[in-house]
Amino acid sequence: MKRHAMAACLLMAALSVCAQTREQDSLRVVNLQEVEVISTRATSSTPVAFTNIGKEQLKKQNFGQDLPYLLSMTPSAITTSDAGAGVGYTTLRVRGTDGTRINVTANGIPINDAESHTVFWVNLPDFASSVKDMQVQRGAGTSTNGAGAFGASINMQTGDFSMEPYAEFNGSYGSFNTHKETVKVGTGLINNHWSFDARLSNISTDGYIDRASVSLNSYYLQGGYYNDNTSIKLITFAGKERTYHAWNYASKEEMERYGRRYNSCGFMYATDREGNVYGKEYYKDDNGEKHYLTNEGGALHFYNDQTDNYTQKNYQLLLNHNFTSQWNLNIGLHYTKGDGYYQEYKGERSLAEYGMSPFEYNGGKVEVSDLIRKKAMDNWFGGGIFSVSYKADRLHASLGGALNRYDGDHFGRVLWVKNYIGHLNPDHDYYRNNATKNDGNIYLKANYELVSGLSAYLDLQYRHINYRINGLNDKYNWTAATPGMQKLDIDEDFDFFNPKAGLSWQIDRNHRLYGSFSVAHKEPTRNNYTDGYFTEHPKAERLFDYELGYTFANSWLHAGANFYYMDYKDQLVLTGELNEIGEAMASNVPDSYRMGIELM
């Protein structure tokens, strides 16, 4: 991947040198500036709480950390990082809701994983270097494409073309051997119509947490044709990641014993100072008291290849056309290919859970053993979006929608078993299942100025989802009449109607007051189906979102306050219960709410 991307960068640089001289027609150059109407974005007259983040602000903060860290100063946002350095597996929460409830799009195209509903930012390394601007809408927000927005929606727009050829290199270095290198080149405008841009990035860190190393590579390529009324862009971007697991976190006791940076992922065994091997990090004396081997000169040993490896490639074809100064059309086609795996050392596992029979060793029957397992995914996601927008003096309206399909295989294999005698087939799947998801929506939204400064907003969306999973899951059902791997046979249809309405009052040039009411629905995630009780299926969730806000703005200050009350029906929340195999469960709760005030 790096070889192809570097070749593309060199090609872009050569084109910039060989580009023909443009006519010095200043009026035409101005007219060629790219204009895109993002129908899913909020404006100053839209009665929702939102924050815009421009290119310059992103550039000031972009030292290689994932995008959630660049958004950490927006209202109600909280970020976390497994590795502790803000690179690798990072998460974003808004208004207390996790990433599965935050809708993310790039150029209007869904980025959320179709099954888990979350965004794996580790698959988008240094994407901020190719983003022109972002908008974060809190709450249900305006109608968008993809996963339901229950906490927020994030709309990213990638960069426009540059009028002039350019080449630049950015680098940074920091704690824990964290570093980023980015090369960007562009041809500028060729023959008044064509432009090409490329980016190549490398990001690595040892991580603050022990062994939480991260290695990321990515590229972004863009080519476009532009004239007075039309732009056509072909964009491809990809990310390749390799991260050591740091998922377990450390307990208070572990941090007191081994330090704040302790990472239990990949633990295999401990040795005392003579080199004797112990299955745990301690032994018990005759009185049953624990003696930790590290206190007596011993050491802990970890599996070196406890890693996550994934490659994701994205393709977007975008058309924007202005029929008149009032009418605009946007069409986007997209395709994403994902392929990867993670493997891990698991101690004292029942062989039956991995479709394996007991074996004889040293005259005994072995039913439980240490092993290394590999879990893999192979999936694709594709479809199209559209929007038609109308803009007049008092009325702004848009009709849009999307139709997308996801197809993904999940499967797992056992690579090694301690003391295993016989042939171990590394290509044997101990579980395999396939998931498909068809997701379509259509929306109509309008903003009408009733009187000077007072605007009414109406947004109507219909969304249909069909979600199927068939095959064997990675969880063993000990409670079944015939115990075996959990069987998945899910075929669910959902039909959602999501209306939104509100008023925005621009009292004068400095003061604005707004209020809105929104309804949103959300289908269960894959984990909601697979991690609950084997005999129960989760239900869809519904949200009634009430927003009331005030903003003040002048030439040197922008301030505001927003009150929200989010009333949920059948919200899926962690209950503290454990399922049949000891995993934390999320269940539908009949009534719940979130309420707060955001200050900006």
Side-chain angles (χ1 to χ4, degrees):
M1 182 182 72
K2 284 197 280 188
R3 187 166 59 248
H4 294 317
M6 181 60 76
C9 289
L10 293 174
L11 175 60
M12 296 302 104
L15 284 171
S16 68
V17 174
C18 299
Q20 297 182 22
T21 304
R22 291 182 296 275
E23 297 178 10
Q24 298 301 313
D25 185 339
S26 60
L27 178 61
R28 179 163 178 76
V29 169
V30 171
N31 287 340
L32 281 171
Q33 288 293 339
E34 183 179 17
V35 177
E36 288 194 5
V37 177
I38 306 299
S39 63
T40 55
R41 284 202 171 181
T43 66
S44 59
S45 59
T46 308
V48 300
F50 67 92
T51 301
N52 291 325
I53 301 100
K55 185 175 183 178
E56 290 303 316
Q57 185 177 349
L58 289 171
K59 188 175 182 179
K60 288 179 182 179
Q61 299 175 263
N62 184 15
F63 297 105
Q65 291 181 308
D66 293 345
L67 269 166
Y69 274 74
L70 275 62
L71 300 175
S72 61
M73 297 306 293
T74 57
S76 297
I78 297 176
T79 57
T80 62
S81 168
D82 280 5
V87 178
Y89 273 90
T90 57
T91 64
L92 175 69
R93 301 178 74 93
V94 178
R95 291 186 177 177
T97 62
D98 62 26
T100 66
R101 296 161 181 275
I102 300 174
N103 172 278
V104 181
T105 59
N107 302 316
I109 290 171
I111 298 296
N112 297 70
D113 177 74
E115 289 197 275
S116 70
H117 299 188
T118 194
V119 173
F120 295 98
W121 299 100
V122 70
N123 297 325
L124 296 169
D126 201 26
F127 192 62
S129 291
S130 298
V131 172
K132 182 179 72 172
D133 55 47
M134 306 173 66
Q135 183 179 88
V136 181
Q137 298 178 20
R138 297 181 295 282
T142 64
S143 289
T144 184
N145 302 311
F150 264 36
S153 56
I154 300 174
N155 183 297
M156 302 182 289
Q157 187 176 358
T158 56
D160 294 339
F161 67 86
S162 172
M163 298 296 292
E164 301 293 335
Y166 68 91
E168 64 179 71
F169 170 80
N170 297 310
S172 60
Y173 185 84
S175 302
F176 314 110
N177 198 31
T178 304
H179 59 92
K180 176 179 85 84
E181 298 80 37
T182 300
V183 177
K184 297 176 67 177
V185 295
T187 64
L189 199 60
I190 303 174
N191 290 334
N192 287 333
H193 292 296
W194 298 90
S195 179
F196 301 89
D197 300 270
R199 173 183 58 80
L200 182 65
S201 300
N202 172 72
I203 302 174
S204 296
T205 181
D206 293 338
Y208 170 76
I209 303 298
D210 291 340
R211 304 181 314 284
S213 60
V214 178
S215 177
L216 309 175
N217 296 287
S218 69
Y219 67 78
Y220 178 94
L221 303 174
Q222 172 181 290
Y225 171 84
Y226 310 89
N227 65 24
D228 291 343
N229 299 310
T230 304
S231 69
I232 302 175
K233 291 198 296 187
L234 177 61
I235 299 171
T236 176
F237 54 95
K240 183 177 183 180
E241 60 95 0
R242 179 179 175 86
T243 63
Y244 193 93
H245 295 186
W247 303 341
N248 290 355
Y249 304 101
S251 67
K252 183 178 180 180
E253 179 184 359
E254 288 172 330
M255 286 191 286
E256 291 175 348
R257 184 168 301 281
Y258 303 116
R260 288 172 55 86
R261 300 172 64 182
Y262 178 69
N263 179 13
S264 65
C265 290
F267 173 76
M268 297 188 297
Y269 58 88
T271 55
D272 61 20
R273 59 187 175 188
E274 279 86 36
N276 299 311
V277 176
Y278 295 77
K280 296 182 179 180
E281 69 271 26
Y282 62 85
Y283 66 90
K284 293 183 178 180
D285 61 21
D286 294 339
N287 297 321
E289 291 188 17
K290 290 182 179 180
H291 293 262
Y292 285 87
L293 295 165
T294 52
N295 294 339
E296 301 176 357
L300 306 182
H301 299 265
F302 299 88
Y303 178 47
N304 286 332
D305 205 13
Q306 183 99 350
T307 56
D308 181 90
N309 306 265
Y310 200 81
T311 299
Q312 181 173 290
K313 299 178 180 179
N314 301 266
Y315 306 89
Q316 298 182 356
L317 179 62
L318 307 174
L319 166 67
N320 175 268
H321 180 70
N322 293 323
F323 294 100
T324 67
S325 60
Q326 294 179 318
W327 289 94
N328 172 272
L329 171 68
N330 274 282
I331 296 176
L333 302 177
H334 66 93
Y335 178 80
T336 299
K337 183 68 175 71
D339 185 13
Y341 67 92
Y342 72 86
Q343 56 191 49
E344 57 185 338
Y345 188 98
K346 303 294 288 185
E348 299 182 343
R349 305 297 291 187
S350 170
L351 297 178
E353 294 183 53
Y354 296 87
M356 302 180 67
S357 301
F359 62 92
E360 300 289 331
Y361 180 74
N362 280 348
K365 187 178 182 181
V366 179
E367 297 180 336
V368 175
S369 184
D370 300 345
L371 53 82
I372 296 173
R373 71 182 185 187
K374 176 181 179 180
K375 290 187 173 183
M377 294 178 61
D378 186 358
N379 54 62
W380 64 267
F381 175 66
I385 66 170
F386 82 96
S387 67
V388 178
S389 301
Y390 173 80
K391 183 177 181 181
D393 291 340
R394 300 177 65 180
L395 174 64
H396 295 181
S398 60
L399 171 69
L403 183 61
N404 303 300
R405 178 174 174 83
Y406 168 89
D407 192 311
D409 292 318
H410 302 256
F411 54 96
R413 295 164 180 171
V414 176
L415 305 181
W416 172 85
V417 179
K418 182 179 180 180
N419 297 325
Y420 189 77
I421 298 177
H423 177 66
L424 185 66
N425 183 2
D427 292 328
H428 171 70
D429 297 335
Y430 72 92
Y431 76 92
R432 178 179 282 269
N433 59 78
N434 173 261
T436 61
K437 187 174 186 178
N438 297 313
D439 182 353
N441 83 90
I442 188 166
Y443 60 82
L444 175 65
K445 59 180 70 175
N447 197 307
Y448 184 75
E449 188 176 26
L450 300 172
V451 296
S452 180
L454 180 63
S455 299
Y457 177 79
L458 181 65
D459 185 343
L460 306 174
Q461 184 197 52
Y462 167 73
R463 184 170 176 234
H464 173 79
I465 304 108
N466 172 255
Y467 184 37
R468 298 181 180 181
I469 314 177
N470 292 285
L472 298 179
N473 196 23
D474 62 338
K475 297 173 176 58
Y476 198 83
N477 187 355
W478 295 97
T479 64
T482 304
M485 304 307 290
Q486 178 190 13
K487 294 181 180 179
L488 299 175
D489 185 14
I490 297 166
D491 187 352
E492 298 273 12
D493 287 284
F494 302 93
D495 291 278
F496 299 142
F497 176 58
N498 301 317
K500 304 173 177 69
L503 294 171
S504 177
W505 181 24
Q506 190 70 45
I507 303 171
D508 57 34
R509 60 183 300 177
N510 301 123
H511 303 273
R512 173 177 172 250
L513 186 67
Y514 63 87
S516 65
F517 169 73
S518 304
V519 179
H521 292 82
K522 188 174 183 298
E523 73 277 18
T525 68
R526 175 186 175 91
N527 285 354
N528 294 145
Y529 286 106
T530 61
D531 291 354
Y533 289 123
F534 294 148
T535 57
E536 294 182 5
H537 280 328
K539 296 182 289 186
E541 306 168 86
R542 185 179 66 194
L543 165 66
F544 295 137
D545 183 18
Y546 304 85
E547 307 271 341
L548 180 63
Y550 162 80
T551 61
F552 171 84
N554 62 19
S555 60
W556 61 275
L557 175 66
H558 185 282
N562 185 76
F563 169 80
Y564 63 89
Y565 180 79
M566 305 172 74
D567 185 18
Y568 294 93
K569 176 70 174 177
D570 293 326
Q571 184 184 16
L572 284 158
V573 300
L574 293 173
T575 63
E577 297 175 279
L578 302 178
N579 67 2
E580 291 90 341
I581 57 175
E583 292 187 329
M585 284 181 47
S587 297
N588 291 107
V589 175
D591 297 293
S592 58
Y593 71 90
R594 295 180 185 273
M595 180 174 63
I597 298 176
E598 297 165 327
L599 302 178
M600 299 167 286

